[in-house]
Amino acid sequence: MPSFLLLEVLFIFLFSGVRQSHPLQEVHVSRETTGKISAANKMMQCSAAVDVLFLIDGSHSVGKRSFERSKHFAIMVCDALDINPERVRVGALQFSSAPRLEFRLDSFSSQQEVKAKIKRMVFKGGRTDTGLALKYLLRKGFPGGRNASVPQILVVSTDGRSQGQVATPAEQLKERGVTIFAVGVRFPRWEELHTLASEPKEQHVLMAEQAEDATNGLLSTLSKSAVCTVASPDCKVQPHPCERKTLETVRELVGSAPCWRGSRGTDAVLAALCPFSSWKRVFVTHPATCYRTTCPGACDSQPCQNGGTCVPEGRDRYHCVCPPAFGGEANCAPKLSLECRIDVLFLLASSAGTTPEGFLRAKAFVKRFLQASLSEDSRARVGVAWYSRELALAVPVGEYRDVPALLRSLDGLPFGGGATLTGHALRQAADHGFGSTTRTGQDRPRRVVVLLTESPSQDEVAGPARYARTRELLLLGVGTDAVRAELEEITGSPKRVLVHAGPQDLFHRIPELRRKLCSRPRPGCQAQSLDLLFMLDASASVGPENFAQMQSFVRSLMLPFDVNPDVTQVGLVVYGSRVQTAFGLDTHLTRAAVLRATSQAPYLGGMGSAGTALLHVYDKVMTVQRGARPGVPKAVVLLTGGMGVEDAAVPIQKLRNNGVSALVVGVGPVLREALRRLAGPRDSLIHVASYADLRYHQDALLEWVCAEAKQPVSLCKPSPCLHEGTCILHNGSYRCECRDGWQGPHCGNRSLRGDAPTGGQQSFTSQRPPRRPGHPGR
């Protein structure tokens, strides 16, 4: 037996490969900006006198597949170069153990010839000697180039794993005025790429695996350094946060296992525990800044009104996906014909505080509203008045020959100046603004005063406003944020106030004013407390255009609800290549914020799993810790194209067992059997033939939500107790029994040693949550 024996058990897990599709440089921008970066590539063109040499790594460490990616990247760059003997010249050199000139810079005089030659380049193989290739260029210069008489651009595509020294020859080239771009392939060693690249490093280090993005980055840097102007003046180079990743091998201690050790001088063999480890290949991220060019798109001007989604079709064309109320109109323009029977008096402030510009804005708003709202068969009658110290009735309600005559009267309204006596004007409008009609009750149309002002009143408004409301006048206010509080006092409710941020924003308030004029309070679940979550299928089987239609449908569904922390909370989850919480239940406190965030929800693509998404909702969204309110009805609405739902039956039942109602809206010509299985005991399933037909099912969906909002609920579902505490109903409230080591009303605090009862559990009685407006009794 040997005098010394040591056996160490070592488990080594080797990864033969990592998926090449994993992005090793990722620019963190919105989907819209990504599209603009991609579109800018097609518009960028360099026509300056410049020599461009591609130095392409053809070694075994790169491999043939990544070598082909480097060629593809070079071809994409050539697409943006005006290749001509007098302007841009292009050459290529492949290196591995030794450099090999593929073609000189003066070999070809057209883009087509250069691209064809790059395509024919053959992978060389061998070891990686980047330094030797750089020394070759130091000796011979750019083959076929114009020396230093024009800018010299060297584009090095490599994995950064040179077996020789690169720092010195790279620095010498840069001292000679050569600009070096280091473009990573495969799993690059970023440190070497930074050594190769010119300053500033972040603008000269790119990734060939994302060829479109890298092309934009290279041309953006050339544009920024004034080597050549590559895009139209409307385009701009901007910094964006990005991250780069390195693939590193790390050793982790996994555990220990029995082994045997001998000792010198004895024949004894002793048993012991020896460590064993595993080797893992992991990605390590490095934050960076990437500079990319974006060009204005067709949707930049936000042409789609009223919550419509703009879908670009190239640089100058687009189409709008409109909410149901505005479908069929150009740019989702409002369908504003006032069909309700109503008398409206527009009351415009014309005081010095409002200013002539503000008065003109108010006149333009009323004029545009009337042009879009009044028709020959309209049942609405309109009048116009203005005020400063006194009220001037320019057009009594209904006393105009036709709409053009009414608009001409508006053009003739003078600016008054003087003090802003809004209270006095309201009292006069209540007494004289609607004539001396004697009709009452059902025979009299609804009467509304629409006050437009940007200046705080210089007299008391509360009393005159109450006086007007006692005369059965509905008061609506339109103004800036500076007068919001005063308008709320005048109208009696924030819901009767429209606040704008400027002239264009003012015109966008036209549809909202029309709804307020013609809508009457409607009882129903809109005033009930409710936690409502929408889940949207954002997978490739749905597609971006259909996803945009789902977004518009969900926005239209949200319009009737009173979104605030005391009534309705709304959340949104999207799923496709991954599951993402677009916003949680307690993220947005107003309906406007929810509508805006819904428009910004990302389309993900990829394969979707409804089951995984439902489990995400169960664990990370519809929980008390994430904003769900104890004792409040909870509902989930899943909109799907029907693919990827085979694994959803168990998760959706798990949600229902936890006190959450779930409705499935399946879209497609055929109702799949997998969707039928998700309906549950109350047939919670709506089948829609196409995405365009979603709007016809809005009432049915709202009816289901209202019915679920009135179902009895349990304060313990979902459980408000943290860390596996047990929720127990107790005298109309609940209490949490905590596990060892935790304490507090919801088991959220660690208990100090010796604090917990010997029984291992603590009970705390939680106060019943405050009753919400419209909260169903329990």
Side-chain angles (χ1 to χ4, degrees), residues 687-769:
H687 176 231
V688 183
S690 69
Y691 292 93
D693 291 340
L694 279 169
R695 54 184 173 169
Y696 302 121
H697 298 266
Q698 179 173 337
D699 290 343
L701 197 152
L702 288 174
E703 183 178 341
W704 178 86
V705 172
C706 289
E708 295 303 316
K710 296 171 184 174
Q711 293 291 327
V713 296
S714 168
L715 290 168
C716 285
K717 289 186 177 183
S719 174
C721 306
L722 302 172
H723 304 111
E724 300 181 350
T726 303
C727 178
I728 299 174
L729 294 173
H730 179 72
N731 293 335
S733 182
Y734 66 89
R735 61 187 175 86
C736 290
E737 286 191 355
C738 305
R739 296 173 63 87
D740 280 343
W742 299 97
Q743 63 180 3
H746 297 95
C747 307
N749 303 323
R750 282 196 176 277
S751 58
L752 300 175
R753 189 180 300 276
D755 285 353
T758 56
Q761 291 188 330
Q762 294 189 77
S763 297
F764 291 86
T765 299
S766 174
Q767 296 297 317
R768 183 184 179 96

Side-chain angles (χ1 to χ4, degrees), residues 338-568:
L338 285 174
E339 299 172 357
C340 53
R341 186 162 173 259
I342 188 172
D343 284 355
V344 184
L345 177 67
F346 287 95
L347 183 57
L348 284 63
S350 182
S351 61
T354 298
T355 73
E357 293 79 11
F359 183 62
L360 287 173
R361 275 195 296 272
K363 286 206 302 182
F365 172 80
V366 174
K367 188 172 180 179
R368 185 173 298 187
F369 180 88
L370 297 178
Q371 285 172 323
S373 304
L374 293 186
S375 59
E376 291 182 1
D377 57 351
S378 176
R379 301 172 64 198
R381 303 191 311 161
V382 175
V384 181
W386 58 272
Y387 75 94
S388 54
R389 289 186 177 274
E390 296 290 336
L391 178 76
L393 194 59
V395 181
V397 173
E399 296 186 18
Y400 47 89
R401 186 175 69 254
D402 51 27
V403 175
L406 175 62
L407 297 177
R408 285 194 296 274
S409 300
L410 265 173
D411 291 334
L413 290 187
F415 175 70
T420 310
L421 303 183
T422 306
H424 181 60
L426 284 171
R427 188 175 291 273
Q428 288 183 307
D431 288 337
H432 310 294
F434 294 87
S436 57
T437 178
T438 58
R439 290 180 296 173
T440 58
Q442 296 297 320
D443 188 44
R444 186 172 66 187
R446 191 183 194 193
R447 300 186 303 165
V448 184
V449 174
V450 179
L451 171 64
L452 293 98
T453 180
E454 297 180 4
S455 175
S457 179
Q458 293 172 266
D459 65 347
E460 190 261 341
V461 296
R466 281 195 301 271
Y467 175 76
R469 291 199 295 270
T470 61
R471 295 177 64 86
E472 299 182 7
L473 295 182
L474 172 66
L475 303 181
L476 300 177
V478 180
T480 61
D481 197 58
V483 292
R484 180 199 296 264
E486 182 174 287
L487 290 176
E488 290 177 358
E489 183 179 19
I490 290 170
T491 62
S493 170
K495 296 180 183 179
R496 297 182 186 135
V497 176
L498 288 77
V499 175
H500 63 86
Q504 279 304 117
D505 191 43
L506 174 61
F507 294 134
H508 290 161
R509 296 289 176 265
I510 290 176
E512 188 178 355
L513 177 59
R514 184 259 178 187
R515 287 195 297 270
K516 292 183 184 298
L517 286 172
C518 281
S519 64
R520 292 184 179 270
R522 184 174 57 172
C525 67
Q526 291 82 0
Q528 296 279 355
S529 289
L530 177 66
D531 287 343
L532 178 59
L533 180 78
F534 291 94
M535 297 175 61
L536 300 188
D537 184 348
S539 65
S541 65
V542 171
E545 291 196 15
N546 291 332
F547 178 74
Q549 291 198 69
M550 285 200 292
Q551 285 177 292
S552 293
F553 176 64
V554 169
R555 283 198 301 270
S556 66
L557 288 172
M558 293 176 184
L559 291 176
F561 291 96
D562 183 7
V563 179
N564 71 65
D566 292 324
V567 186
T568 303

Side-chain angles (χ1 to χ4, degrees), residues 134 152 154-156 170 173-174 178-182 196-198 204:
L134 297 176
Q152 295 179 306
L154 179 63
V155 183
V156 185
L173 278 170
K174 285 181 270 189
V178 176
T179 299
I180 301 179
F181 286 89
L196 289 168
S198 295
H204 291 82

